[in-house]
Amino acid sequence: MKKVLTFGELLIRLQTSTPAFVRQEGMTDNISAFAGGSEANVSVALGHLNIPNAYFTAIPQNAIAKEIVAVLEGNNVDTSKIKWSGDRIGMYILLSANGLTSGDVVYDRKYSSFSQLKADDIDWDFLFEDCSWFHWTAITPALSEDMAQFMKAALAEADKRGLTISVDLNYRSKLWQYGKSPLEVMPELVQYCDVVMGNIWAENKMLGTTIDDTLDRNTTKEVYFEASKNTAAEIFAKFPKCKHVSNTFRFMDNAKHNLFYGVYHTPEGNYASETFETFNVVDRIGSGDAFMAGLICGIYKNYQPQEVIDTATQTGFQKLFVQGDFTNMNL
């Protein structure tokens, strides 16, 4: 079976479990480190779903990078396509215990090995060898205009080879800082995609679909389902290559119960998962990536549409109970 290739920056996540990031006198140890990055998270989840996969990024030749690669390989990820270059691994600092509180995120990604890549650095034939699927996220073109052009080159090469192409419309407002809005960049890239995953708010910001500003946590699932159907219809009309749209609905905070469900649309039908609820989230980070992996799994294996969205939602929900970016759950 040919592989799903995921494409994006490997990151180190530093996390604090206390209000202060810098240790002060009398404090216990409060910093944890995890490997992560959206695309790596998807590959790890695919590994646990027994989907053959490979991961591409660029990282320096150092002990930390090698340790992370060993972790990826231990999670059934093919790392042979990784480019060993540059001087540093990107990082983000999460100032909360589980991604649910109002804690800030601080990015430290400039001049990373991945961010310095150019299209001429890549052997495209080797990269896509033995692959039938190419997965990317909106995080890469958010990094810089050069990265947006690099992403366009990669998509054109994948499209030329006939790969199925999927995108997760991860919206990170702090990363779009180089003078262009997502709406000026993303539609040109999404035109290559067969599968679009995100949520109705990200699709509005990145693809210009309509949104009802009155929708909130208290809006019923039925109303959200109709809103998602309307958004999907707009995406199908704007991007003729796209044949699959899926959206997550995750309403989470520490004060209330947490809700998680997903919807899935094709030109032929619309489907919703059951709603999962929990009061005990361990770590929200990576749950959308696990959902993406479940979605890829269902489409890759030609599941029936209802089973596609059920698999995606179950995989995403299970990640809420695993600390760190990577999942360790099997369906």
Side-chain angles (χ1 to χ4, degrees), residues 10 12 59-74 79 82 84 89:
L10 180 70
I12 294 173
I59 48 178
Q61 284 274 9
N62 64 38
I64 295 174
K66 292 175 182 177
E67 181 179 337
I68 295 172
V69 165
V71 171
L72 290 168
E73 291 172 347
T79 64
I82 288 176
W84 296 88
I89 304 173

Side-chain angles (χ1 to χ4, degrees), residues 35-229:
S38 180
E39 302 82 3
N41 297 345
V42 172
S43 261
V44 168
L46 288 171
H48 284 273
L49 291 166
N50 295 314
I51 301 296
N53 72 91
Y55 173 52
F56 172 81
T57 193
I59 48 178
Q61 284 274 9
N62 64 38
I64 295 174
K66 292 175 182 177
E67 181 179 337
I68 295 172
V69 165
V71 171
L72 290 168
E73 291 172 347
N75 283 278
N76 300 317
V77 177
D78 175 1
T79 64
S80 65
K81 298 179 186 294
I82 288 176
K83 186 173 181 62
W84 296 88
S85 65
D87 299 314
R88 67 184 301 261
I89 304 173
M91 180 183 301
Y92 76 102
I93 302 168
L94 181 64
L95 302 180
S96 73
N98 56 14
L100 295 183
T101 68
S102 59
D104 204 355
V105 174
V106 177
Y107 290 105
D108 180 17
R109 303 175 67 153
K110 287 187 177 181
Y111 313 112
S112 67
S113 297
F114 184 82
S115 70
Q116 304 300 299
L117 287 173
K118 307 293 184 187
D120 290 344
D121 298 330
I122 308 302
D123 180 341
W124 299 108
D125 288 332
F126 171 72
L127 182 66
F128 293 117
E129 185 179 12
D130 296 326
C131 296
S132 62
W133 191 299
F134 180 67
H135 175 68
W136 64 288
T137 78
I139 294 172
T140 298
L143 297 174
S144 69
E145 188 162 5
D146 285 345
M147 280 282 99
Q149 292 304 311
F150 177 58
M151 195 68 251
K152 183 179 178 181
L155 287 165
E157 293 287 347
D159 183 63
K160 183 169 66 177
R161 290 165 173 79
L163 277 72
T164 299
I165 299 174
S166 61
V167 63
D168 185 341
L169 298 178
N170 312 69
Y171 178 63
R172 303 288 185 268
S173 60
K174 289 188 175 183
L175 294 180
W176 289 94
Q177 300 295 323
Y178 59 91
K180 286 194 173 182
S181 70
L183 266 177
E184 295 176 279
V185 175
M186 289 300 297
E188 185 178 14
L189 303 180
V190 171
Q191 68 174 323
Y192 292 101
C193 294
D194 303 276
V195 182
V196 173
M197 194 283 275
N199 60 60
I200 59 176
W201 298 275
E203 288 152 356
N204 166 254
K205 290 181 181 297
M206 295 190 175
L207 304 181
T209 53
T210 56
I211 192 75
D212 181 348
D213 291 333
T214 66
L215 301 175
D216 60 20
R217 183 190 175 101
N218 297 315
T219 301
T220 66
K221 184 176 182 179
E222 291 72 23
V223 170
Y224 271 129
F225 190 33
E226 288 302 313
S228 186
K229 285 165 59 175

